Amino acid sequence: MTSVLDLAPVVPVVVLEDAADAVPLARALVAGGLPAIEVTLRTPAALDAIRAVAAEVPDAVVGAGTVISPAQVADAVAAGARFLVSPGWTDALLDAMALSGVPFLPGVSTASEVVALLERGVTEMKFFPAEAAGGTSYLKSLGAPLPRARFCPTGGITLASAPSYLALANVGCVGGTWMLPPDALAAKDWGRVETLAREAAALRR
């Protein structure tokens, strides 16, 4: 599979309370040009949502986010997740992700964490929580001493701030929720989601 960082400029970060919404939501995101979809394991519906998207939306590349244990790695891959994203990492979690057979983005927020991952041969990471951890200025500062590391910053990024992240040489894509407004999800307004997805997909690295 193409690197998760290169599938689209924006990876929607999806929190679903009802697995029945997964397929129409994924179809709207894909139609809008955002095929990589991170379904976070924050709700009981998450694994069923991943299973449904994997089975019914062939053009979607569905992944699991908020992966924080080896057991979740196994469950997510069994459900059909094609990539894994964690907010941080431990040796046990990293080992499980590395053995999973799918691409993964372990979360980092410090230079030491980046160096430790590079030491382990991991060059693609999630930078989280992006805005709170220093934003574009922090990521730009990491670029010179750690040029091999590439990031998907996530956390507090908006349509307005995304371009400044995407302009950085060490950023492949950003994660965000702005194309998934809660009122649109509550109303099952998939047309609005598609429109917002298309706006996000038009952003350029």
Side-chain angles (χ1 to χ4, degrees):
M1 186 178 98
T2 304
S3 165
V4 178
L5 299 184
D6 297 322
L7 289 171
V10 179
V11 176
V13 179
V14 179
V15 181
L16 281 174
E17 301 294 342
D18 184 352
D21 290 339
V23 167
L25 175 61
R27 285 179 176 149
L29 291 170
V30 170
L34 300 180
I37 302 167
E38 176 187 335
V39 177
T40 70
L41 302 183
R42 299 182 199 174
T43 68
L47 290 172
D48 285 339
I50 290 169
R51 207 170 281 116
V53 174
E56 298 181 48
V57 192
D59 292 333
V61 180
V62 65
T66 321
V67 177
I68 57 172
S69 72
Q72 286 184 323
V73 170
D75 290 344
V77 173
R82 293 172 60 187
F83 65 92
L84 304 169
V85 184
S86 68
W89 63 276
T90 64
D91 287 328
L93 180 58
L94 193 68
D95 289 343
M97 291 195 293
L99 291 170
S100 69
V102 301
F104 57 94
L105 298 174
V108 297
S109 60
T110 69
S112 294
E113 290 167 328
V114 176
V115 171
L117 285 178
L118 292 173
E119 213 173 67
R120 297 278 297 265
V122 177
T123 59
E124 298 188 345
M125 311 164 195
K126 170 179 178 170
F127 178 62
F128 176 83
E131 285 288 286
T136 54
S137 59
Y138 190 93
L139 276 173
K140 188 174 183 180
S141 298
L142 290 179
L146 302 169
R148 287 170 51 227
R150 292 181 74 216
F151 301 96
C152 174
T154 305
I157 297 173
T158 65
L159 178 65
S161 63
S164 59
Y165 281 94
L166 293 169
L168 299 176
N170 57 353
V171 169
C173 63
V174 300
T177 59
W178 73 83
M179 73 298 300
L180 304 162
D183 58 336
L185 299 192
K188 304 187 191 304
D189 186 351
W190 310 126
R192 184 174 167 210
V193 171
E194 181 181 337
T195 297
L196 293 170
R198 186 169 289 112
E199 197 175 28
L203 296 173
R204 289 284 169 262
R205 297 182 186 85

